[in-house]
Amino acid sequence: MSLDRLMEGIMKKQNPTVAGLDPKLSYIPAHIKAESFAQHGKNLEGAAAALLAYNKGLIDALCDIVPAVKPQAAYYEMYGWPGVKALAETIAYAKEKGLFVITDGKRNDIGATMEAYAAAHLGETDVEGESFTAFGADALTVNGYLGTDGIAPLLKVCAQKDAGIFVLAKTSNPSSGEFQDQMLHAMYEPLYRAMGNMCQIWGKELPGRYGYTGVGAVVGATYPKQLAELRQALPDTFFLVPGYGTQGGGAEDVAPAFDKFGGGAVVNSSRAILCAWQKENCEPADYAGAARREAIRMRDALMARLGGISLPV
Amino acid sequence: MSLDRLMEGIMKKQNPTVAGLDPKLSYIPAHIKAESFAQHGKNLEGAAAALLAYNKGLIDALCDIVPAVKPQAAYYEMYGWPGVKALAETIAYAKEKGLFVITDGKRNDIGATMEAYAAAHLGETDVEGESFTAFGADALTVNGYLGTDGIAPLLKVCAQKDAGIFVLAKTSNPSSGEFQDQMLHAMYEPLYRAMGNMCQIWGKELPGRYGYTGVGAVVGATYPKQLAELRQALPDTFFLVPGYGTQGGGAEDVAPAFDKFGGGAVVNSSRAILCAWQKENCEPADYAGAARREAIRMRDALMARLGGISLPV
């Protein structure tokens, strides 16, 4: 249940990575853009068509290497509703190809409004008795600042749809400490730790088969000490680890995120994979091949450090 | 600059309220839904068409009474990309009618990703040298858990586009205290207050003409003591106050949000206005009239308490 399907994919492919699909126009080869603009115009529709074509090429090239993709909602919303349509189509295509899809939306609200987000991103939408899938990802990143009122509505949908969430605990950015590192007076532990503790509690409603619940936590690769601390403190909480590669974290930095079976975490890389063709300086037509080569390099670097990944049953 | 246009609208209409546009299908009169389903089918497109028609009727009926509307993104995302298209069209229509539009999206991320959200919701999107408006609201609600890295990209766009943001400080829900009320060890003040203090600091980059910056804070009507405390502590920070009406706050509860000129805050009401026709049990065709009557009742209740609203120059 919950994040188990992600863990099974990681184990099967022996690769604990997720490819971030954050498609900026500047990452997309000129021939894809030219074709999209010719068909739809040089406008939001044309840009969205380019995003989708680029993503499909990446998904085709990555789907037997990585277990999961993580589209970042902001890069689609930026292109208005056509971009958001491209997000829905990207999710559907990735699922067709057997990938676990994490929508990175960092959504947060309360009660009926959070129920609407849960239906939108993980569940189904009722239109007077008929059900439709709006976005239909397998997991969603969420922000827990509003407390249990903002998380409970998600848990219900996760249980129904075999989906999961990742709650921001310690994010990878330089200023994450402004609030997240503040020591709380009553508990004498930092806010990120208190957020992690709540992930343990919320997760009890979504038990999994492999020791981890359906409530994961986001913990940045750029803070290896906190990664190690939280891995120890949150034995039932699976980690989504951003900040590998371009943001500065390496295989050694993310090693503390994993348990002794090589499980317990999935590491995200976005730009390094998306822009591999620019860094390799290869033919633009080979952008997906370059992404695949970079994904293999990342897998091999992580697996060299981890040895292997097994699932305790 | 920034939130000044909102304050000018409040002063002109002598009404410190914002109408929440959170259109659930169950709020929409049957004749609107029947027409939309007949045209588009009983599906996400049909539902989205009903949302838009319902919103336009509300906006027509409210635009000379209230200064602002606040569409809640979740209720549009729930209907997939057609719903998100209806959000964009609702925003455009409300702006045409002279309303200040606050998109309630509680967005949060860092760096380039937050820049993408800022472009999406407040700014413009560049498509190879040509600019397009994706959603184009006047203000956006945001979650500050990630610190300055998540706010700075918004400030730049706000300065360019004469837009503003509202950062969640103390939210209106029962569990908001789980994190927000935690006393921070170093400052010996609660997290919501530390978040408020950062609004004061972030706001320095967006000075306004009437004593309030372009960085506002969300403070719930359900916590009048904290409202009073924050009004005192954050003299440059304009408040968006949810939780009036259905969530339990009344005119007396929100009074502490205002300054001595009757300024400094805008109070949101969603369900009470949207569902006024159901509560009044009037003809469904008169739903917008009922919304207008409820908006006038709310205005009169608040203004009876405040006396009048003036802008210090």
Side-chain angles (χ1 to χ4, degrees), chain A residues 229-304:
Chain A
E229 173 205 336
L230 290 175
R231 179 68 293 147
Q232 177 96 15
L234 313 176
D236 312 321
T237 305
F238 195 83
F239 291 168
L240 169 61
V241 182
Y244 184 91
T246 320
Q247 278 185 60
E252 204 51 47
D253 296 311
V254 299
F258 294 90
D259 63 26
K260 62 182 174 182
F261 303 103
V266 67
V267 179
N268 180 75
S269 173
S270 301
R271 219 174 320 160
I273 292 176
L274 298 176
C275 305
W277 69 276
Q278 292 168 330
K279 204 173 167 200
E280 273 192 14
N281 208 11
C282 68
E283 283 300 308
D286 190 31
Y287 79 98
R292 181 184 171 89
R293 290 188 288 277
E294 173 61 24
I296 289 172
R297 276 192 293 272
M298 180 175 168
R299 177 195 68 190
D300 293 349
L302 288 173
M303 291 306 289

Side-chain angles (χ1 to χ4, degrees), chain B residues 1-9 162 207-210 212:
Chain B
M1 200 163 97
S2 300
L3 296 171
D4 288 349
R5 286 185 293 122
L6 172 59
M7 293 174 226
E8 287 160 5
D162 192 20
R209 271 195 298 275
Y210 310 115
Y212 293 100

Side-chain angles (χ1 to χ4, degrees), chain A residues 33 72 75 77-78 106 108-109 113 121 125 128 143 145-146 148-149 169 173 175 178 180 183 185, chain B residues 33 75 77-78 106 108-109 113 121 125 128 143 145-146 148-149 169 173 175 178 180 183 185:
Chain A
K33 288 188 280 198
Q72 164 55 255
Y75 292 103
E77 291 180 24
M78 190 178 165
K106 300 185 175 59
N108 61 111
D109 216 291
T113 306
H121 293 286
T125 297
E128 314 241 306
N143 185 316
Y145 185 75
L146 290 82
T148 300
D149 296 329
N173 54 305
S175 78
E178 285 175 8
Q180 298 164 28
M183 290 298 276
H185 188 73
Chain B
K33 287 188 280 198
Y75 292 104
E77 290 179 24
M78 190 177 165
K106 298 184 175 63
N108 61 112
D109 217 291
T113 305
H121 293 287
T125 297
E128 314 240 307
N143 185 318
Y145 185 74
L146 290 82
T148 299
D149 297 329
N173 55 305
S175 78
E178 284 174 10
Q180 298 164 27
M183 290 299 275
H185 188 74

